Amino acid sequence: MAGRATHQTLSVLVENRSGVLARVSSLFARRGYNIISLAVAPTDDPAFSRITIVIDIETTSVEQITKQLFKLVNVVKITELDPADSVERELLLATVNAAGDNRSQVVELVDLFNGKIEDVGYDTLTVMLAGEPARLDDLEELLRPYGITDLQRTGRVALPRLERQAPRLRNVTGKAS
Amino acid sequence: MKLTGAQALIKSLEMESVEVIFGLPGGCILPAYDPLLDSPIRHILVRHEQGAGHMAEGYAHVTGRPGVAMVTSGPAATNMVTPLCDAYMDSVPMVAITGQVGRPFIGTDAFQECDTVGITRSVTKHNELVMDPDELPLIIRQAFHLATTGRPGPVLVDVPKDILQAELDWWWPTDADLAASLPGYKPTTKGHPRMIKEAARLIAAAERPVIYAGGGILKARAAEALKELAEATGIPVVTTLMARGAFPDDHPLCLGMPGMHGNYTAITAMQQSDLLIALGTRFDDRVTGRVGAFAPDAKVVHVDIDPAELNKIRKPDVPIVGDCRQVITEIVRALRQLDGADDAPPTPDRTPWRSRISGWQERYPLHYDPQVEGDALKPQMVMETLRDSAPEETILVSGVGQHQMWASQFWKFNHPYTWVNSGGLGTMGFSVPAAIGAKVGRPDRTVWAVDGDGCFQMTAQELATAASERIPVKVAILNNAYLGMVRQWQEMFYEERYSEVYLSPDLPDYVKWAEAMGCVGIRVEHPEEVQPAIDKANSIDDRPVVIDFRTDASEKVFPMVPAGASNDEVVVHPSQAPGGERVVQ
């Protein structure tokens, strides 16, 4: 699913006030925009929260969604994150049938992905994997034949990739405000 | 200085130079009504909260200043939803203050509790529930700032009763406090210089340009700038329903209203233009008709203060985010610089375009069958008589439906801020309360409300407000005993199967009803009575007047572009197209 042109990730910096998430989600509902996933948490500055939204851009242009979002008074900044230029991570929890021989196979599989076994039941295991959304998709697919009884993913969070080059003087004349 | 929340609220409104509040008290807002007694602010006691909201809108439309409505919680707040939505759709600056149950009761389904901020979230530019008495002055200041800057709109402040009763140390936020409290709010007012140059080049080179002026012209106080642009370039101007009066109808460059019931020339000039200069307008479906077929050959320069309007419906070739007045002034300057410059585009010959336009104007003027003595009144004739008898700069307010379209078509709007109507939301019942608000804002002007009999029955009780507050508005009911526009659609598109549209001309008796509310009531059934009745109404200035004009129910609004059709398919008046066929260009 990750990285296809049908999706786009928006990192939306908002004032950390009550009702802001409701404003954002009701805007999506009211204008018929589709949310694929949404994650929200305060930033290092407790006055602000960051909402990471993965949106469906097949039906609506990302430009219109961004502009409408920015009309919300509590929205401070919106960054459109291109998967190629950002670090995207997600966390997956899955409870998998793992009776008998299957148990060791599941453990091995999770181990190969650098995931963890977080809970052990009589004939089930709850596994955890944090990483790139595509890797989570892969593990999910490989676990499915064993029987996934519960699955919870957080939705992705993302930050832009950092500059690798040392800063140098750039000509910024004529730059739009 | 210690003040109660209620005192701080009223003082904050005074700090914002509020001169009038339209409202109705009740349980939760009660504390705020006590300090109001000691305030210079005038309060107008309405009969229904919806009336308060529309009055605030009418006031804002004609003064350009934010209208203020104050009501209590629960049902009062929900009654405010329609005017808030109306103001949101038409970008009307308005501040609504609602009472709320005390903080400890919020979320308990207390008496007259409702989730006001939740309910009004999608119909306000912003809303806020006050949860700390110390924040009250700041939230009020923010509300007025948000309502009046950028793209104007309604802002609601929900104030719990215990906040009104609590004490706070009075303070009034500085500009810096205000700016710091709104880190995400920075409307762009200045257009991008490169885009302005680009717009000037397109304008200079266009062979068939049209200025498409919207309500944003009025919001930006840009009527003078628009006139300068039109006259400097000789480009004709269409004024949308929200922009009537933004460019004088008696100006030779004015083409009048485009859209579903616009005149043939305005519709067709846009449709065949090679450049639309869209100023403070949003390509509403009632203007564009079928979007895919709208003005197919036109390049578009689109100026709007709301970036979300650019490329929402139609992709502009030159998008400019900014305040219309500033941007238009800059475009005029850029055009002057371009004039005679080495890299100026060759000056096109616009004579053929002008002659095509005047050809359409001659062939398809607005038309209705002339009044025949003994027949029911032609509503268009009533409108024209009203227009010709109105004092200069009369403010015309309308409801929604056929009468609204005839008002817009047949009135001559030669001054900005003389036309008040509900465009985007299409709120029936808008006109009586909005006219009252307009008259409060401009007591020096004659204010006529043109209403339909359907609309009038929705909000007429506010005439009791007008009579008791001595607000002498005048109401002309074009009483055709039908929900006229619905009837027109059923006649034209549902094989004359009339379903639930008949209202009766006599029930209620409008004259008696007017008199019961302290107004003068006049009934007009015959053509020769029209002029004397209007003269009488114009001479009364100590109370409201209602004239019940009995009009011909079979009259339809023409021209018409049927819903979903292309603007190439204008249905003109049957006498202009024998057989009633559509005129297809």
Side-chain angles (χ1 to χ4, degrees):
Chain A
M1 300 253 292
R4 278 192 212 159
T6 56
H7 302 162
Q8 169 87 39
T9 305
L10 297 180
S11 176
V12 185
L13 188 71
V14 299
E15 289 180 71
N16 186 6
R17 297 176 64 91
S18 71
V20 175
L21 183 60
R23 286 181 206 282
V24 170
S25 56
S26 66
L27 183 141
F28 274 76
R30 135 117 170 82
R31 298 213 178 252
Y33 308 152
N34 287 328
I35 299 177
I36 290 164
S37 79
L38 185 149
V40 56
T43 61
D44 53 319
D45 181 345
F48 299 100
S49 289
R50 191 182 310 280
I51 304 179
T52 309
I53 317 175
V54 182
I55 52 174
D56 176 356
I57 56 169
E58 271 186 308
T59 47
T60 320
S61 79
V62 90
E63 176 196 342
Q64 188 58 213
I65 295 175
T66 306
K67 284 171 166 179
Q68 292 292 350
L69 268 178
F70 209 66
K71 283 171 73 170
L72 297 176
V73 169
N74 301 123
V75 169
V76 179
K77 191 180 173 193
I78 301 173
T79 314
E80 288 176 28
L81 295 176
D82 180 343
D85 289 323
S86 56
V87 179
E88 293 187 321
R89 292 295 178 267
E90 191 177 356
L91 187 144
L92 168 151
L93 285 175
T95 301
V96 188
N97 289 331
D101 289 349
N102 283 353
R103 176 166 301 225
S104 60
Q105 290 178 28
V106 169
V107 171
E108 195 176 329
L109 192 57
V110 171
D111 213 32
L112 280 171
F113 275 82
N114 286 330
K116 283 175 77 179
I117 307 297
E118 294 291 357
D119 202 10
V120 180
Y122 171 70
D123 55 3
T124 52
L125 292 173
T126 294
V127 309
M128 183 274 280
L129 177 64
E132 289 166 18
R135 289 189 69 235
L136 271 57
D137 294 343
D138 292 344
L139 178 64
E140 193 183 319
E141 207 167 302
L142 290 165
L143 288 174
R144 202 164 289 285
Y146 298 97
I148 296 174
T149 59
D150 268 310
L151 178 79
Q152 181 65 59
R153 292 174 64 154
T154 57
R156 69 191 74 183
V157 292
L159 285 176
R161 274 195 195 285
L162 304 177
E163 283 285 340
R164 289 203 173 71
Q165 285 179 337
R168 56 199 158 93
L169 289 175
R170 274 179 295 189
N171 181 10
V172 292
T173 50
K175 193 169 180 290
S177 57
Chain B
M1 179 174 53
K2 289 272 187 203
L3 291 184
T4 65
Q7 289 167 330
L9 171 63
I10 300 301
K11 194 172 169 68
S12 299
L13 297 177
E14 289 170 8
M15 295 297 288
E16 289 292 348
S17 310
V18 173
E19 54 176 24
V20 59
I21 297 172
F22 304 93
L24 194 142
C28 289
I29 198 70
L30 237 169
Y33 272 79
D34 186 74
L36 195 56
L37 282 173
D38 306 317
S39 169
I41 297 175
R42 180 183 183 191
H43 182 273
I44 289 171
L45 176 60
V46 301
R47 299 318 193 245
H48 185 289
E49 290 90 353
Q50 184 188 353
H54 291 320
M55 286 178 205
E57 286 186 88
Y59 175 90
H61 268 285
V62 300
T63 63
R65 300 173 54 203
V68 180
M70 182 162 80
V71 301
T72 192
S73 62
T78 57
N79 282 342
M80 190 56 69
V81 171
T82 300
L84 285 170
C85 192
D86 192 274
Y88 189 53
M89 292 285 269
D90 287 346
S91 307
V92 181
M94 169 178 167
V95 174
I97 293 156
T98 48
Q100 182 54 278
V101 299
R103 282 169 293 174
F105 299 98
I106 289 178
T108 66
D109 304 315
F111 178 64
Q112 292 193 331
E113 185 195 358
C114 75
D115 175 15
T116 303
V117 290
I119 290 168
T120 60
R121 189 173 288 134
S122 63
V123 297
T124 51
K125 183 174 174 183
H126 188 63
N127 63 16
E128 204 75 63
L129 169 64
V130 184
M131 287 300 276
D132 177 352
D134 292 327
E135 280 193 349
L136 189 54
L138 177 63
I139 289 172
I140 296 293
R141 184 141 194 226
Q142 284 177 341
F144 280 84
H145 180 66
L146 293 169
T148 54
T149 55
R151 180 177 181 170
V155 178
L156 179 139
V157 181
D158 198 25
V159 194
K161 186 172 190 178
D162 64 326
I163 294 268
L164 293 171
Q165 291 163 327
E167 277 206 329
L168 65 137
D169 285 313
W170 167 254
W171 67 295
W172 185 243
T174 62
D175 290 355
D177 294 334
L178 178 69
S181 73
L182 297 168
Y185 184 74
K186 294 179 199 77
T188 306
T189 53
K190 195 176 175 314
H192 192 291
R194 191 164 50 81
M195 289 293 149
I196 285 168
K197 282 209 183 90
E198 199 53 43
R201 294 191 70 85
L202 283 186
I203 292 168
E207 284 177 16
R208 305 187 306 279
V210 172
I211 294 174
Y212 162 25
I217 295 287
L218 294 168
K219 301 302 185 312
R221 323 301 285 181
E224 278 304 311
L226 171 63
K227 202 168 164 192
E228 201 186 344
L229 174 65
E231 288 177 348
T233 56
I235 297 176
V237 180
V238 302
T239 49
T240 68
L241 183 64
M242 293 311 296
R244 306 290 289 130
F247 190 72
D249 275 337
D250 63 2
H251 195 288
L253 289 169
C254 190
L255 304 185
M257 182 174 76
M260 182 176 267
H261 291 297
N263 70 74
Y264 185 88
T265 305
I267 298 168
T268 309
M270 287 177 90
Q271 196 63 359
Q272 307 211 354
S273 80
D274 67 347
L275 178 68
L276 286 176
I277 306 152
L279 306 172
T281 191
R282 60 186 176 86
F283 293 83
D284 181 81
D285 55 90
R286 285 299 189 263
V287 169
T288 62
R290 184 147 48 79
V291 174
F294 174 64
D297 302 329
K299 290 191 170 179
V300 172
V301 171
H302 193 176
V303 182
D304 205 284
I305 198 154
D306 180 355
E309 291 303 343
L310 308 179
N311 201 13
K312 185 180 83 177
I313 304 292
R314 172 76 175 243
K315 187 173 171 56
D317 297 272
V318 180
I320 305 178
V321 179
D323 172 83
C324 265
R325 187 166 41 140
Q326 288 189 39
V327 173
I328 293 170
T329 309
E330 289 293 327
I331 289 176
V332 172
R333 189 173 304 160
L335 280 166
R336 295 217 169 101
Q337 280 169 1
L338 198 59
D339 193 26
D342 295 342
D343 62 341
T347 311
D349 177 11
R350 289 186 188 146
T351 326
W353 181 232
R354 274 195 287 272
S355 62
R356 278 168 76 187
I357 288 174
S358 55
W360 295 324
Q361 284 174 321
E362 268 166 46
R363 182 148 177 224
Y364 298 111
L366 284 174
H367 178 77
Y368 61 94
D369 290 331
Q371 181 72 55
V372 175
E373 206 172 334
D375 281 5
L377 304 177
K378 294 288 179 196
Q380 303 93 331
M381 179 274 289
V382 174
M383 274 310 309
E384 290 193 304
T385 314
L386 207 56
R387 172 195 72 201
D388 295 338
S389 317
E392 189 70 7
E393 299 193 79
T394 290
I395 291 167
L396 187 68
V397 185
S398 93
V400 169
Q402 287 184 313
H403 68 276
Q404 175 189 28
M405 293 298 111
W406 286 318
S408 178
Q409 289 179 338
F410 287 95
W411 201 263
K412 290 283 172 242
F413 295 100
N414 292 329
H415 305 279
Y417 314 108
T418 55
W419 168 237
V420 180
N421 91 128
S422 166
L425 193 63
T427 308
M428 285 179 67
F430 177 80
S431 76
V432 167
I436 294 169
K439 182 70 180 171
V440 170
R442 295 306 303 257
D444 53 321
R445 300 277 187 86
T446 299
V447 176
W448 268 104
V450 174
D451 219 354
D453 47 316
C455 279
F456 184 79
Q457 291 186 63
M458 290 194 174
T459 51
Q461 78 275 15
E462 297 308 338
L463 285 172
T465 305
S468 63
E469 295 275 351
R470 304 259 167 228
I471 305 163
V473 294
K474 305 176 202 308
V475 183
I477 307 173
L478 302 184
N479 176 6
N480 63 0
Y482 276 96
L483 298 170
M485 189 59 93
V486 185
R487 186 195 182 283
Q488 174 168 345
W489 282 51
Q490 289 180 346
E491 181 181 333
M492 294 173 72
F493 310 120
Y494 291 85
E495 290 94 35
E496 299 181 48
R497 286 162 55 85
Y498 298 113
S499 176
E500 300 298 323
V501 284
Y502 181 66
L503 293 172
S504 160
D506 308 300
L507 188 68
D509 181 323
Y510 294 98
V511 169
K512 280 188 187 162
W513 193 8
E515 286 167 354
M517 291 187 289
C519 310
V520 176
I522 305 169
R523 177 162 298 124
V524 177
E525 291 171 290
H526 307 291
E528 64 276 13
E529 299 164 358
V530 170
Q531 185 69 57
I534 291 171
D535 290 342
K536 184 179 172 191
N538 278 332
S539 71
I540 296 171
D541 206 31
D542 62 345
R543 74 195 76 176
V545 186
V546 177
I547 309 181
D548 171 17
F549 289 104
R550 297 297 175 86
T551 60
D552 181 351
S554 67
E555 272 303 317
K556 292 186 285 296
V557 183
F558 289 113
M560 178 174 194
V561 178
S566 146
N567 279 1
D568 287 323
E569 302 168 51
V570 183
V571 181
V572 294
H573 190 275
S575 71
Q576 293 171 320
E581 75 268 24
R582 293 175 184 188
V583 175
V584 179
Q585 274 293 324

